[in-house]
C-alpha cells in the first residue's frame, strides 16, 4: 500500500501530528489526509504559534489518546 511520512506519529494508536509550514508552501493534501483517515488515523495539525502556548496541543493529544484507548 501507500506509505506516508508523518511529522510525529504513534502508529500503535494511529495518532499523528502534522506540523503546518508557515513559509508559503502548500501544507495540506486533502487526498493524503482522506487516505490516512480511511485507514484509521487521527490527524492533529500544529502551527508554530501553537508551540508558544502548547496547552491546546497537549489537551488535544490527551483527548486523542483517551478516544483511542476507549476504542481499543
Amino acid at each position: 500500500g501507500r506509505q506516508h511520512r508523518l511529522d510525529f506519529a504513534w502508529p500503535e494508536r494511529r495518532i499523528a501530528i502534522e506540523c503546518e509550514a508557515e513559509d508559503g508552501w502548500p501544507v495540506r493534501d486533502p487526498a493524503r489526509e482522506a487516505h490516512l483517515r480511511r485507514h484509521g488515523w487521527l490527524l492533529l495539525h500544529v502551527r508554530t504559534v501553537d508551540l508558544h502556548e502548547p496547552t491546546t496541543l497537549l489537551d488535544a493529544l490527551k483527548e486523542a489518546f483517551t478516544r483511542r484507548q476507549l476504542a481499543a
Side-chain angles (χ1 to χ4, degrees):
R2 235 194 302 194
Q3 288 190 347
H4 296 286
R5 184 176 301 262
L6 299 165
D7 293 323
F8 298 95
W10 293 265
E12 68 283 355
R13 296 281 184 213
R14 292 188 185 245
I15 296 171
I17 294 177
E18 291 284 88
C19 297
E20 302 276 337
E22 295 184 23
D23 57 4
W25 285 93
V27 176
R28 294 187 180 188
D29 176 348
R32 175 181 177 270
E33 288 189 16
H35 180 262
L36 287 165
R37 285 195 172 98
R38 274 194 310 275
H39 286 85
W41 283 88
L42 198 161
L43 303 174
L44 302 173
H45 292 274
V46 179
R47 298 169 300 150
T48 303
V49 68
D50 298 325
L51 301 177
H52 294 288
E53 180 49 58
T55 304
T56 302
L57 170 60
L58 294 174
D59 288 344
L61 270 174
K62 285 180 201 174
E63 180 182 331
F65 275 92
T66 298
R67 286 173 51 191
R68 290 302 159 108
Q69 189 169 6
L70 293 175

